[in-house]
Amino acid sequence: MRARMHFQEALSGVLSGMGVAWPEKTVIEPPKDKKFGDLACNVAMMSAKALGKKPREVAETIREKLLEADTDNVFSAIEVAGPGFLNVTYSTLFWQRQIQVVLDAADNFGQCNLGQGRKVQVEFVSANPTGPLHIGHGRGAAVGDSLARILRKAGFDVETEYYINDAGRQMSILGLSTFTRLQQLFGKDVQLPEDCYKGDYIIDLAREVKEQHGDALLSMPEEEVVEICQQHAMTSILDGIKLDLETFRVQHDIWFSEKSLVDAGKVEKTLSDMQANGLAFEKDGALWFDTERYGDDKNRVLRKSSGDLTYFASDIAYHDDKYRRGFDLVVDIWGADHHGYVPRMKAAVQALGRKPEDLDVILVQLVNLLRAGKQVAMSTRSGEFETLADVCTEVGVDAARFMFLSRKSDSHLDFDLELAKERSMDNPVYYVQYAHARICSLKAKAAEQGVTPGQADMATLAGLDTEADLDMLRLLDQFPDTVESAAKSLGVHQIGFYLREVASSLHRYYTLNPVLAAGEATLVASRLMLLDAVAQVLRNGLDLMGVSAPDRM
């Protein structure tokens, strides 16, 4: 049983006997200074009022009852500090048992039931199918996929979705861009309009249309040819996006078409419902959403006076559809330039009869791609960008994903291509993967010498009694808490931070504590078991990041 969980259950038992429910604001966490023990808790201060006693007096009573119930000597010390904090130090035996916990759980170590089966939808990437995915999309893809893995590990029922923006102005521009290039291929002297897509991939798409339909295109009405160009370009680009995401180890359960939403009349139905409920009104020939009532700085247009729907109208209908599918929580992952869109979507969610917290938005900041210290300029419209596929080919999927997840998603990220390719300890993904490979290499060497760890029995594990051993065990015990914290805060970067700490501790431990040369056979066996548990945690954590754990490097 993990330390925090064990402490909480022990405290809950004591409080129950005292006739007090678990206080909501109770916090259990490692103290900032190790000298104060393994965990500290403020439960005495939080329950003092209910008991009508001073916090320190309550803490002393809880301490006595914890010690009375500790027949297995799990605690080596329980102290009352300050105004009533309870500081506990766990016994060496307790920490040694964590090896069995990790190895018995194996790939399931780190799981928790925070979600209790709640249905969550994570919608991410959702790039317009107007060009290949670039590295900005890649960061969002890594964040969304890793978040889904973390939430599943934390006990949520997760479904991932890609929203295909296949309706509206951007698709028209794509069709016109491809049609113009097609005309040029037929020898016509036409210029590409300024707002069209200028990448070479548009020429390739036009060439494919020409090869498929040939001269028959010349006798077709222009409107029909533009439609053919638009459909071919969108389908081809979307197929490329799906392939890139598959290569990037990203899985979407659902690919949802915006056009299907419009064609089925769901957008108009949602707008009619809003009008019927007094949430939308006509003004100056346009339809407006009364977002001011929900704290927005101004009301927003849903249908323009021209009759065209706004993106906001489709987005409201789309989220209405999401909630009708039974999701308890919807998580949208957007580019940071959409930050101003968050309040109005929160308003829309409330208009749909949901709580604002039923929608969570993760903003992903821009990626500055560096090559030889210089920033690479990127613009999809101008055709100047590094595609996600090119970056993965150059540095590898593991390095790309780890780098994308190395910082908080709402922080700017400098992606150094040269660093990502380095086989050095300065490269964070190499640093963590090498820790796993190092353990695998040591185990292989041990097998060659006829040394095997054996069973993780307490007699063997008794050799793990140094401060270095216990520090490593304490760190491994934090993995489930890290997963739970990442799931609660939707902070996927926490896993990478934790893994770097584990890797750092492993490299330090390996340098200062001989394993195969430890001498006594039981000590060799116990240290091999410890490293086996470290390798398991590294594998489990890397899997949450969508990064492999190689046996050799």
Side-chain angles (χ1 to χ4, degrees):
M1 185 181 293
R2 303 196 329 265
R4 187 174 62 84
M5 184 184 298
H6 174 272
F7 191 28
Q8 182 167 336
E9 288 188 5
L11 287 171
S12 295
V14 170
L15 289 178
S16 178
M18 296 170 69
V20 178
W22 183 262
E24 281 187 21
K25 295 183 179 180
T26 300
V27 177
I28 299 175
E29 60 187 2
K32 293 180 180 179
D33 192 329
K34 279 176 57 178
K35 70 181 181 182
F36 294 117
D38 295 322
L39 291 171
C41 184
N42 64 346
V43 69
M45 291 179 282
M46 295 298 102
S47 54
K49 186 175 181 180
L51 290 167
K53 297 180 179 179
K54 294 180 180 180
R56 193 171 177 90
E57 182 183 350
V58 174
E60 292 287 358
T61 301
I62 293 175
R63 175 182 177 276
E64 291 174 9
K65 292 183 179 296
L66 286 173
L67 290 173
E68 287 174 9
D70 186 27
T71 55
D72 294 334
N73 297 317
V74 170
F75 300 116
S76 66
I78 304 177
E79 297 178 350
V80 176
F85 284 101
L86 281 162
N87 295 338
V88 299
T89 302
Y90 278 87
S91 67
T92 299
L93 182 64
F94 174 88
W95 290 119
Q96 290 167 348
R97 285 174 179 161
Q98 300 314 300
I99 297 288
Q100 294 176 314
V101 173
V102 175
L103 297 181
D104 287 349
D107 293 347
N108 293 325
F109 183 67
Q111 283 186 348
C112 65
N113 195 30
L114 173 70
Q116 299 181 329
R118 288 182 67 211
K119 288 193 66 177
V120 178
Q121 187 218 51
V122 182
E123 184 229 319
F124 61 106
V125 185
S126 299
N128 292 338
T130 55
L133 297 179
H134 54 64
I135 63 166
H137 298 134
R139 189 180 191 188
V143 169
D145 183 68
S146 183
L147 177 62
R149 293 169 186 245
I150 291 167
L151 291 174
R152 289 186 183 112
K153 195 84 167 178
F156 291 88
D157 180 7
V158 183
E159 189 172 278
T160 55
E161 185 156 308
Y162 188 115
Y163 182 54
I164 308 169
N165 299 104
D166 53 358
R169 184 169 179 270
Q170 296 304 317
M171 289 298 97
S172 298
I173 293 174
L174 177 64
L176 178 59
S177 303
T178 309
F179 174 68
T180 303
R181 291 303 191 188
L182 178 65
Q183 288 179 301
Q184 292 173 349
L185 290 176
F186 274 118
K188 295 185 178 182
D189 184 17
V190 293
Q191 296 299 314
L192 193 67
E194 184 59 35
D195 63 346
C196 282
Y197 296 102
K198 299 176 176 62
D200 289 343
Y201 67 94
I202 298 293
I203 300 174
D204 294 334
L205 291 168
R207 187 174 290 113
E208 290 169 6
V209 173
K210 186 173 184 290
E211 290 173 355
Q212 286 181 18
H213 298 273
D215 292 342
L217 293 166
L218 297 173
S219 59
M220 292 183 187
E222 180 177 306
E223 188 176 289
E224 186 176 340
V225 179
V226 171
E227 178 64 22
I228 289 173
C229 288
Q230 178 177 319
Q231 288 303 313
H232 175 82
M234 186 196 72
T235 301
S236 179
I237 290 172
L238 192 57
D239 287 344
I241 287 173
K242 289 180 177 180
L243 180 60
D244 288 348
L245 290 174
E246 182 180 346
T247 302
F248 200 49
R249 303 178 194 142
V250 170
Q251 177 69 41
H252 284 94
D253 300 313
I254 302 292
W255 292 76
F256 192 99
S257 163
E258 178 188 4
K259 190 172 184 297
S260 71
L261 196 70
V262 176
D263 291 347
K266 291 184 178 180
V267 178
E268 289 296 342
K269 174 66 166 60
T270 300
L271 299 187
S272 296
D273 290 344
M274 292 175 69
Q275 281 185 282
N277 293 325
L279 299 170
F281 59 90
E282 298 276 357
K283 180 184 176 183
D284 301 328
L287 181 66
W288 298 73
F289 174 23
D290 185 11
T291 50
E292 289 182 0
R293 72 166 65 186
Y294 298 109
D296 200 0
D297 58 344
K298 62 180 180 180
N299 294 324
R300 306 290 174 173
V301 177
L302 298 172
R303 189 191 299 111
K304 302 175 185 178
S305 56
S306 64
D308 295 331
L309 294 172
T310 62
Y311 285 118
F312 190 30
S314 296
D315 286 342
I316 295 173
Y318 177 42
H319 283 75
D320 188 24
D321 184 84
K322 290 184 182 190
Y323 291 118
R324 290 180 186 277
R325 284 185 263 160
F327 294 111
D328 300 303
L329 172 66
V330 167
V331 180
D332 291 348
I333 298 179
W334 299 343
D337 56 335
H338 288 78
H339 66 91
Y341 205 62
V342 177
R344 72 189 72 166
M345 277 312 305
K346 290 275 191 179
V349 166
Q350 293 178 76
L352 295 172
R354 305 292 299 225
K355 301 174 185 175
E357 57 266 29
D358 289 346
L359 170 68
D360 216 317
V361 178
I362 297 176
L363 297 176
V364 179
Q365 271 289 1
L366 296 174
V367 179
N368 297 318
L369 187 65
L370 305 178
R371 188 185 296 279
K374 295 182 179 180
Q375 186 170 338
V376 179
M378 292 183 291
S379 169
T380 306
R381 184 65 59 82
S382 68
E384 297 176 3
F385 56 85
E386 287 284 343
T387 66
L388 174 62
D390 287 343
V391 171
C392 288
T393 298
E394 182 169 348
V395 306
V397 173
D398 283 340
R401 287 191 64 128
F402 199 100
M403 288 296 210
F404 285 140
L405 298 170
S406 63
R407 298 194 66 187
K408 289 182 66 175
S409 62
D410 60 357
S411 300
H412 284 280
L413 174 68
D414 288 333
F415 191 118
D416 191 323
L417 288 165
E418 302 308 318
L419 176 62
K421 291 185 288 185
E422 278 186 15
R423 294 174 62 83
S424 75
M425 294 302 196
D426 293 328
N427 180 351
V429 64
Y430 182 87
Y431 188 71
V432 174
Q433 287 182 317
Y434 181 63
H436 183 268
R438 197 172 199 178
I439 295 171
C440 292
S441 175
L442 181 67
K443 288 172 63 180
K445 196 172 184 180
E448 290 174 4
Q449 297 177 11
V451 179
T452 55
Q455 296 297 314
D457 57 83
M458 296 313 299
T460 304
L461 295 176
L464 300 174
D465 57 2
T466 69
E467 196 60 30
D469 295 324
L470 298 179
D471 281 345
M472 184 65 80
L473 289 167
R474 290 185 184 104
L475 186 55
L476 298 185
D477 183 61
Q478 290 176 21
F479 180 59
D481 290 338
T482 302
V483 174
E484 184 172 318
S485 175
K488 275 182 179 178
S489 64
L490 307 183
V492 297
H493 63 282
Q494 294 182 42
I495 303 299
F497 286 5
Y498 170 80
L499 292 180
R500 275 179 279 179
E501 187 178 356
V502 173
S504 176
S505 296
L506 181 277
H507 294 311
R508 184 170 57 251
Y509 182 92
Y510 186 85
T511 301
L512 299 176
N513 299 275
V515 180
L516 297 183
E520 189 180 344
T522 53
L523 184 56
V524 172
S526 65
R527 289 184 176 176
L528 280 173
M529 287 177 195
L530 174 60
L531 297 193
D532 208 14
V534 173
Q536 184 67 64
V537 170
L538 287 170
R539 280 196 300 276
N540 291 5
L542 286 169
D543 181 66
L544 293 179
M545 299 179 75
V547 177
S548 69
D551 292 346
R552 59 175 64 89
M553 297 186 72

